Amino acid sequence: MTQTLGHFINGKLVADHTRTQAVFNPATGAVSKQVALASPQTVADAITAAQHAFVEWRDTPVMKRARVMFKFKELLEQHRDAICTLIGEEHGKILHDAAGELQRGIENVEYACAAPEFLKGEFSKNVGPNIDSWSEFQPLGVVAGITPFNFPAMVPLWMFPMAIVCGNTFVLKPSERDPSASLYLAQLLQEAGLPDGVFNVINGDKEAVDTLLTDKRIQAVSFVGSTPIAQYIYATATANGKRCQALGGAKNHAIVMPDADLDNVVNSLLGAAFGSSGERCMALSVAVCVGDAVADQVVAKISSAMQSLKVGVFSDTSNDFGPVITAAHQAKVEGYIASAAAEGATIVVDGRGAKPLGYEQGFFVGATLIDHVTPNMVSYQEEIFGPVLQVMRVATMQEAMQLINDHIYGNGTCIYTRDGEAARYFSDHIQVGMVGINIPLPVPVAYHSFGGWKQSLFGDLSAYGPDGARFYTRRKTITQRWPTSEIREGASFSMPTL
Ligand code: NAD
């Protein structure tokens, strides 16, 4: 009998067989587990547990909260292999890629350990006669996270370590397509000494999400996923009076300048376009070549290098990337390739119909290269989220930048050049939140913050790092005077000034 994954509420794994959905092993195409889809009552139970836990947790000294994170980091490192295997089995990414994802998540836990430092607040003495004033950063209460399938460990780790160390309690709703990693993390947090109810995981679909968005006890919602859902989450959460940050989809362009070192560019593009089957929100999916001569060389070199790429099962670490997440997503990616061809692009390398030996039923799409892509094509306007690299040809750097600035997404971008002046102009003027200069995946480290522009992020604050600390706290400013017994002041009816 297949296992049914439940929820983690108030420190306990809770079984739930009422409404379930299949979880697949995308390399074999077989159903590996079932996952419970929480009812509104189950979500409400998790919120209640978090609300009760908040009373003590908010007053737990920050150093003690940070100590839980130190221990949690150790446990994540000890259990690295088990977590990566769960990710591989449900998401399909190769173990070395899963280890990279987890390491990036651990770095967010390391940053959370610094909470006693970044929650110190601000203090001013003598803002008036015998008057002192300070600002402190108080937790919000119960906060929620809703996460996508493509980073089942890292994206939850962007959110809850920071939220919890700031004194909040948390309800996580992970992707129903690869839910096991979150349940595993919950148990490690408990082992690290986190009190019951501070961190809860509910599995589910839209019904669970809508309950989180409308329950008055939830103070803030962090979301990462596709843009249409991000827009919905942001509109609904804010209409219900909640603070919200909603990170959406992407179309990340790399400009290849004529002076770039093309051999380095090719290696860098291969990993950034096809790593994790292109299912990264920072995947480089468009190479904008300045000049036909550059484009011809890039296409020739990449298509030749693509012949040796290996696609297959997560556990064989000689593979470069794995399957895409579902059969439906495989069909969608292949549909974009077909539509590009129908709209006049050239399919230079066609990954459709990839069938690794022994995994013929898996949801595989091989690495695909499409040349002569133009801005009017649907496959350019929308996010493909698969192992597909599109090549566009422009005459000047200005034209390349205009393309990027005109796109609805503004998550990541990169320029390959040896010209410092061009690079500086690019980073100054490009309408994108995360910029690489000869760096294909400019994912900010944990002590900076992660966020795109335009339709890649709804809300004012980016994820994790200093913005994360701001998002999960509320500023309170206190002004204090202890009256001196000799001084008697009369009533004043004008605005107090110095
Ligand atoms: P998704 O939007 O389908 O799902 C994300 C979450 O929303 C899941 O937990 C899901 O259960 C929930 N959800 C789905 N449909 C819903 C609905 N109608 N109402 C309420 N909740 C709903 O995204 P996905 O396919 O899991 O992830 C891939 C997407 O995430 C891509 O677009 C990718 O670019 C984006 N992403 C963005 C970032 C970023 O930082 N900007 C990072 C990772 C992934």
Side-chain angles (χ1 to χ4, degrees):
M1 213 178 90
T2 50
Q3 181 192 6
T4 300
L5 301 167
H7 319 287
F8 187 87
I9 300 174
N10 208 18
K12 288 179 199 63
L13 284 169
V14 177
D16 176 358
H17 298 270
T18 41
R19 219 162 49 90
T20 61
Q21 179 175 314
V23 177
F24 289 85
N25 177 339
T28 61
V31 174
S32 61
K33 298 164 195 157
Q34 296 285 326
V35 62
L37 302 175
S39 65
Q41 185 55 53
T42 304
V43 179
D45 291 347
I47 299 172
T48 302
Q51 195 187 22
H52 288 154
F54 179 64
V55 178
E56 278 192 24
W57 185 244
R58 61 157 284 166
D59 288 334
T60 301
V62 63
M63 195 71 221
K64 284 195 171 172
R65 299 199 301 249
R67 264 183 214 138
V68 174
M69 290 301 148
F70 275 107
K71 183 70 188 160
F72 182 46
K73 166 191 148 63
E74 275 176 25
L75 290 171
L76 287 169
E77 286 167 347
Q78 276 169 28
H79 294 263
R80 196 185 295 268
D81 291 349
I83 298 167
C84 291
T85 301
L86 285 176
I87 295 173
E89 284 170 353
E90 294 180 4
H91 175 283
K93 66 177 74 174
I94 312 300
L95 286 174
H96 50 73
D97 187 25
E101 149 170 13
L102 183 58
Q103 182 55 32
R104 276 303 186 108
I106 290 172
E107 289 170 14
N108 285 91
V109 181
E110 289 171 333
Y111 185 68
C113 291
E117 174 63 25
F118 61 68
L119 290 181
K120 271 196 309 206
E122 300 158 354
F123 183 85
S124 297
K125 196 172 169 69
N126 273 343
V127 294
N130 294 320
I131 300 175
D132 304 326
S133 185
W134 71 92
S135 295
E136 57 189 44
F137 298 95
Q138 296 199 344
L140 306 176
V142 184
V143 299
I146 300 156
T147 53
F149 81 83
N150 67 323
F151 286 109
M154 184 184 78
V155 171
L157 287 167
W158 284 359
M159 299 177 182
F160 68 78
M162 176 58 81
I164 287 173
V165 86
C166 287
N168 302 283
T169 55
F170 204 92
V171 180
L172 173 68
K173 206 301 286 170
S175 171
E176 59 275 46
R177 298 178 200 164
D178 44 19
S180 289
S182 291
L183 291 171
Y184 198 94
L185 298 184
Q187 291 168 85
L188 292 187
L189 258 180
Q190 186 175 43
E191 198 180 329
L194 192 75
D196 291 349
V198 174
F199 181 63
N200 308 275
V201 179
I202 46 140
N203 282 307
D205 56 6
K206 181 171 167 51
E207 195 173 347
V209 171
D210 285 345
T211 309
L212 290 171
L213 295 178
T214 50
D215 190 305
K216 288 192 168 40
R217 296 170 296 171
I218 298 283
Q219 302 299 317
V221 175
S222 295
F223 171 87
V224 175
S226 60
T227 285
I229 308 298
Q231 269 171 318
Y232 168 74
I233 300 280
Y234 187 76
T236 314
T238 52
N240 280 279
K242 303 181 195 318
R243 188 178 283 193
C244 184
Q245 54 179 188
L247 283 70
K251 193 82 173 179
N252 305 312
H253 302 67
I255 299 183
V256 186
M257 296 287 282
D259 65 347
D261 175 339
L262 289 191
D263 289 324
N264 275 339
V265 169
V266 166
N267 283 333
S268 158
L269 279 178
L270 281 172
F274 306 126
S276 206
S277 316
E279 290 175 328
R280 292 179 180 139
C281 64
M282 290 291 274
L284 268 186
S285 49
V286 187
V288 189
C289 297
V290 178
D292 276 330
V294 173
D296 291 344
Q297 286 185 73
V298 165
V299 168
K301 283 175 187 281
I302 291 197
S303 53
S304 139
M306 284 168 70
Q307 304 310 318
S308 52
L309 291 182
K310 269 187 74 189
V311 57
V313 65
F314 75 96
S315 49
D316 177 351
T317 51
S318 70
N319 286 326
D320 296 300
F321 62 92
V324 297
I325 187 71
T326 55
H329 192 55
Q330 179 189 33
K332 189 172 169 190
V333 173
E334 293 190 344
Y336 280 124
I337 301 170
S339 85
E343 290 187 291
T346 311
I347 313 296
V348 183
V349 181
D350 191 346
R352 286 174 289 180
K355 290 197 187 306
L357 196 63
Y359 294 92
E360 290 80 2
Q361 305 305 313
F363 311 138
F364 290 95
V365 181
T368 298
L369 182 66
I370 309 180
D371 195 3
H372 299 289
V373 171
T374 53
N376 55 311
M377 293 180 183
V378 174
S379 63
Y380 172 70
Q381 289 162 359
E382 298 179 5
E383 181 183 40
I384 299 178
F385 221 54
V388 180
L389 178 64
Q390 298 184 300
V391 175
M392 302 180 84
R393 294 161 177 253
V394 296
T396 62
M397 175 176 157
Q398 281 296 352
E399 206 184 317
M401 286 179 63
Q402 196 61 50
L403 262 180
I404 299 172
N405 289 345
D406 286 346
H407 207 284
I408 59 165
Y409 294 119
N411 216 38
T413 189
C414 159
I415 187 167
Y416 291 106
T417 183
R418 290 181 167 109
D419 179 345
E421 187 184 352
R424 198 158 189 273
Y425 181 84
F426 173 76
S427 65
D428 264 3
H429 294 94
I430 203 73
Q431 299 294 306
V432 173
M434 293 172 282
V435 177
I437 295 167
N438 299 313
I439 299 280
L441 298 176
V443 178
V445 290
Y447 42 100
H448 285 256
S449 297
F450 182 109
W453 287 13
K454 298 185 275 186
Q455 293 200 23
S456 294
L457 189 150
F458 303 91
D460 303 318
L461 290 169
S462 295
Y464 69 73
D467 269 19
R470 288 288 310 281
F471 183 79
Y472 293 120
T473 56
R474 222 185 313 246
R475 174 186 289 265
K476 184 177 277 181
T477 304
I478 298 122
T479 305
Q480 151 181 292
R481 170 168 56 192
W482 292 106
T484 316
S485 46
E486 305 88 66
I487 302 172
R488 285 282 168 271
E489 285 182 359
S492 167
F493 298 94
S494 45
M495 187 70 188
T497 60
L498 269 185

